[in-house]
Amino acid sequence: MIRYTLKCDHDHAFESWFASAEAFDKLSAAGMVACTVCGSAKVAKTLMAPAVRPARKAVAPEAPHPETAQAAPAAAPDPAGIIAALRRAVEQNSDYVGKDFATEARAMHEGEAPERAIWGEARPDEARALIEDGIEVTPLPFMSPRKTN
């Protein structure tokens, strides 16, 4: 497995794991790698700093003196917890339409179906067509229930 820091043509940076460098190249060429923020399929690798572990014999830093120690900074929010909460909110407040997402969204936009909150799956070309037609869509940072193990 290899982790890449990626950047889309709209300057959004994100990370993703791939089985190998060849797997990234193949998926990227097929338009299967998309920005997690805007959904753009124009994604490129960026420079990354290698993950280097300290030597086994490295000396552990001295603990600060209790009188001079500062309070620990607040813990950063847990991204997995935030995404899980988002998923629960989406599932509770909208209808899952699966692969019919583009069709349903277009029908609502054109007044052929009643408006409601929906979520589902769309190929990158379908999502781009919706956006080009002025239909607001947003990529979600989680997989559909159909794709989970």
Side-chain angles (χ1 to χ4, degrees):
M1 294 292 289
I2 187 166
R3 181 181 67 183
Y4 286 126
T5 299
L6 306 172
K7 190 176 191 180
C8 76
D9 58 338
H10 298 290
D11 225 21
H12 300 126
F14 58 100
E15 293 181 348
S16 191
W17 288 90
F18 297 91
S20 64
E22 294 80 24
F24 168 79
D25 293 337
K26 183 177 176 182
L27 290 170
S28 182
M32 301 292 290
V33 180
C35 176
T36 58
V37 178
C38 67
S40 172
K42 294 180 182 175
V43 174
K45 293 185 260 185
T46 63
L47 291 177
M48 292 178 40
V52 180
R53 295 187 338 191
R56 290 182 187 180
K57 294 181 181 180
V59 178
E62 278 188 38
H65 191 276
E67 292 176 5
T68 60
Q70 296 179 357
D78 175 32
I82 292 170
I83 291 173
L86 173 64
R87 181 182 191 122
R88 282 190 301 277
V90 167
E91 289 175 345
Q92 291 172 355
N93 299 304
S94 61
D95 297 326
Y96 177 70
V97 294
K99 291 190 175 202
D100 295 330
F101 178 81
T103 305
E104 290 284 330
R106 189 169 302 284
M108 287 189 294
H109 181 72
E110 294 172 356
E112 297 170 2
E115 288 199 25
R116 67 190 201 280
I118 62 170
W119 71 288
E121 302 167 47
R123 294 187 319 267
D125 61 315
E126 291 174 325
R128 270 189 232 101
L130 290 172
I131 293 167
E132 288 169 1
D133 292 342
I135 302 169
E136 293 185 26
V137 297
T138 301
L140 297 173
F142 51 82
M143 303 294 284
S144 69
R146 180 178 77 76
K147 293 186 179 179
T148 55
N149 292 342

